[in-house]
Amino acid sequence: MTVGVLFDIDGVLVTSWQAIPGAAAALDAVRRRAHPLAFLTNTTSRTRSEIAASLCAAGMDVTPDEIVTAAGLTAEYLRSTYPDARCLLVNHGDVTEDLPGVRLDDVNPDVVVLGGAGPEFDHDTLSRVVGLMQQGVPVVAMQGGLSWATEDGVKIDTGAYLPGLEAAGGGRVTVIGKPAPTGFIMAAALVGIDPEHAVMIGDDVANDVLAAQYVGFTGVLVRTGKFRQAAVESASGTPDHVVDSVADLPALLDALGGEPGAAD
């Protein structure tokens, strides 16, 4: 049975868009072995085209069509769930290219859309979001990641704000990207494989690995990016496999023998 591979990007292939040692060679090796693959990312500061260009600049041959972003998943959700709704977008970065069919309106919104955290998540803006929630306006978060790794250290992300917004706003926030199941299932469909025949490799034990395992993937955690041993020890489950970096992935896939879940 053919094994498909889903790659997290930030912290697995690159850090601050600089290639992690061995990442390009590992990606080439996975392609040579004819494993179906895609890239599943919570990055909401860049479009698919920009992400692909950055990966190519880092020595990895990736096309926009291979990338599944939280923004793209959110656009599909908004089009089907809130057609023609006016959406207030709070996001660090311009990703409107990946939001086709979504009507943006920051004056009188029907829906609040939260993207990646940054300076835009200031006191006044978040207070307005809470006020809208109290009026019954639904809130959709592109992703629920707690943090990401940069050359300057760990930065908190949207997921760190969601519990407070829900408590103050008196409502629930719908999360689309990781760690919600939607992104994993859609990315597997993109490469034409069932979740039980898919491997997810990430640097976040909860949002990447355990969340993928929850929907039937084999989870592979790398010791790069925002990996912290303390987070692994306090996690709600155990990764199927832990490797030093993505450079070790081809050997692991060979050891799995085409059957996810085999012994490490």
Side-chain angles (χ1 to χ4, degrees), residues 16 41 98 128 134 137 191 203 222 237:
S16 294
T41 177
D98 286 351
R128 184 185 180 200
Q134 291 175 344
V137 174
V191 298
D203 66 327
V222 292

Side-chain angles (χ1 to χ4, degrees), residues 91-186:
N91 181 56
H92 181 58
D94 182 2
V95 292
T96 51
E97 176 184 315
D98 286 351
L99 297 172
V102 176
R103 182 181 174 191
L104 300 180
D105 185 339
D106 61 1
V107 177
N108 190 27
D110 303 306
V111 181
V112 174
V113 181
L114 301 176
E120 295 80 4
F121 278 52
D122 59 29
H123 182 266
D124 288 344
T125 300
L126 295 182
S127 295
R128 184 185 180 200
V129 171
V130 167
L132 290 168
M133 292 178 71
Q134 291 175 344
Q135 296 170 32
V137 174
V139 178
V140 176
M142 291 185 184
Q143 46 93 357
L146 293 173
S147 65
W148 76 93
T150 74
E151 292 178 330
D152 299 324
V154 174
K155 307 294 185 182
I156 63 169
D157 207 350
T158 307
Y161 295 89
L162 299 184
L165 291 174
E166 289 181 332
R172 301 292 296 176
V173 176
T174 299
V175 179
I176 304 300
K178 297 182 292 185
T182 306
F184 298 105
I185 294 170
M186 292 186 67

